[in-house]
Amino acid sequence: MLLAAAAFALLVAPPLPAADAALIVESYRIWRAVAERVWTGWSEFQPPIVYITAEYEYAIGFPRPLTGFEAQSSLAGSSVQARPRTLPPTLGASFPFEGTPAALLGTPAALESTPERWVFTAAHEMFHVYQANHGSYQKIATLKIAPVDDSSWQLNYPFPYPDLAVRNLVHLQGYLCYLAAKSTSSEDRTYHLSTEVEATASYAAYLAKSPEGEKAYHYSQFQEWNEGVAAYAEYRVAEEVSRLPGFERYRQVWEETYRDKPYLAKHAGRASQGRSMFYHLGLAKALALDKANPRWKERYFEPGVWLDDIIAASLPAADHK
């Protein structure tokens, strides 16, 4: 009996350490403070988080009990459940966890981050949860890039990254979107984006000749829409937080890490040549759309509509025939 009790005690996770609990509370505080400034409707549902320590996992804000988890005291009004760790401690991702879209994150130390940087990484994954709750999985499935029961393709897809022409066309799109985002003249902005639409058409046509055919361009559409816009949301969260009273500790992170992110967007395909180039290209397109069409987010979740479609539709009709 004593041995059984001892074994059970080993399975029960201790309370979330105070510093980690404070980090989770802070990430939600930042999200609540700026979510609606960044994207109307983002604050309608609090994203669940699975926080992964070296030995345990803590599920915060889930709507129901999870398999193998023990209920703990709530944290800032959110339920907390815990179990011994089964996930990689360096995980930084979002996916359905027992059917509920959630952000899954290791500690700042495991992710080689500071607590201040970590909360913005958490915002990125929280935006993915928002996407999922608005049909992102179903929308992406319509591209028919790979079987719907295997998500490994999202990381392992054989996109022709080594092809210099592909990288140059990515760079051209990012550069033109950067110019559009920085332009103070509507005429210049229209010129840059109409040229970007032409560059996108050349990019799609070139990719169609690759071994993967049209799927290669669809993969680019997906990554720009998914990861690129999540990078945009992370960037905007950092920007908004840096301006708010009571969040002074984040201004240095904005200045040192985020303020110059548009320059990476400008050099997508050159400064970044692997999958990360889609983060930068999607960021560039979102920033350009902020200037060209401030209501572009209203179409973002529409079925069959991707960033390139919204850019083209944001131009005067004569400029993209």
Side-chain angles (χ1 to χ4, degrees):
M1 192 73 174
L2 290 175
L3 288 176
F8 178 76
L10 291 174
L11 294 175
V12 176
L16 189 63
D20 295 312
L23 184 67
I24 300 297
V25 170
E26 181 72 350
S27 67
Y28 281 136
R29 182 174 83 103
I30 284 177
W31 168 75
R32 290 191 189 95
V34 302
E36 291 300 315
R37 293 170 180 255
V38 172
W39 199 290
T40 301
W42 189 8
S43 66
E44 65 189 18
F45 177 74
Q46 179 169 296
I49 292 175
V50 177
Y51 186 72
I52 308 162
T53 69
E55 296 181 356
Y56 299 99
E57 296 164 0
Y58 297 86
I60 300 103
F62 279 76
R64 57 183 177 79
L66 301 173
T67 304
F69 282 77
E70 294 286 336
Q72 295 195 336
S73 299
S74 64
L75 179 65
S78 296
S79 64
V80 179
Q81 305 173 61
R83 73 177 181 188
R85 182 178 66 80
T86 64
L87 297 166
T90 57
L91 189 63
S94 66
F95 50 80
F97 192 79
E98 290 202 15
T100 299
L104 297 94
L105 294 145
T107 66
L111 298 183
E112 299 182 349
S113 179
T114 65
E116 291 79 12
R117 284 282 309 279
W118 188 95
V119 297
F120 295 135
T121 301
H124 181 114
E125 301 305 336
M126 286 175 166
F127 189 80
H128 282 316
V129 175
Y130 178 62
Q131 291 171 318
N133 286 329
H134 284 76
S136 64
Y137 302 140
Q138 295 81 2
K139 180 170 178 170
I140 293 163
T142 65
L143 293 173
K144 298 181 180 180
I145 299 171
V148 295
D149 58 351
D150 177 16
S151 61
S152 64
W153 64 269
Q154 297 189 14
L155 297 178
N156 303 324
Y157 184 81
F159 189 82
Y161 298 110
D163 190 321
L164 179 60
V166 169
R167 297 202 306 270
N168 285 343
L169 287 166
V170 167
H171 174 249
L172 180 58
Q173 293 174 79
Y175 181 61
L176 289 165
C177 285
Y178 171 85
L179 293 177
K182 292 294 184 181
S183 177
T184 57
S185 162
S186 60
E187 291 81 5
D188 286 348
R189 184 161 53 248
T190 295
Y191 175 78
H192 296 318
L193 284 184
S194 61
T195 307
E196 192 277 337
V197 168
E198 294 170 358
T200 297
S202 296
Y203 175 65
Y206 186 83
L207 287 174
K209 299 175 184 177
S210 71
E212 292 295 310
E214 291 183 350
K215 287 184 179 181
Y217 176 58
H218 293 329
Y219 181 77
S220 182
Q221 287 178 301
F222 145 65
Q223 288 285 14
E224 294 166 34
W225 183 91
N226 189 57
E227 291 293 357
V229 177
Y232 161 85
E234 180 181 353
Y235 170 84
R236 288 299 193 204
V237 166
E239 180 182 40
E240 292 291 344
V241 166
S242 73
R243 297 170 176 171
L244 293 180
F247 293 89
E248 289 78 7
R249 61 188 280 203
Y250 297 102
R251 289 176 186 163
Q252 185 176 356
V253 181
W254 162 254
E255 294 287 337
E256 294 180 352
T257 304
Y258 287 94
R259 186 180 62 180
D260 292 335
K261 286 283 187 183
Y263 289 105
L264 289 175
K266 176 183 178 181
H267 295 290
R270 291 191 176 178
S272 55
Q273 299 181 7
R275 196 171 69 93
S276 62
M277 73 183 182
F278 296 123
Y279 291 63
H280 301 146
L281 182 56
L283 170 62
K285 292 181 179 182
L287 293 174
L289 281 167
D290 276 349
K291 286 290 189 70
N293 179 8
R295 298 181 64 179
W296 69 272
K297 295 168 186 172
E298 295 175 6
R299 298 199 62 202
Y300 177 77
F301 289 113
E302 287 184 18
V305 174
W306 307 94
L307 294 184
D308 292 335
D309 301 310
I310 303 175
I311 289 174
S314 299
L315 293 172
D319 291 305
H320 60 96
K321 286 183 179 179

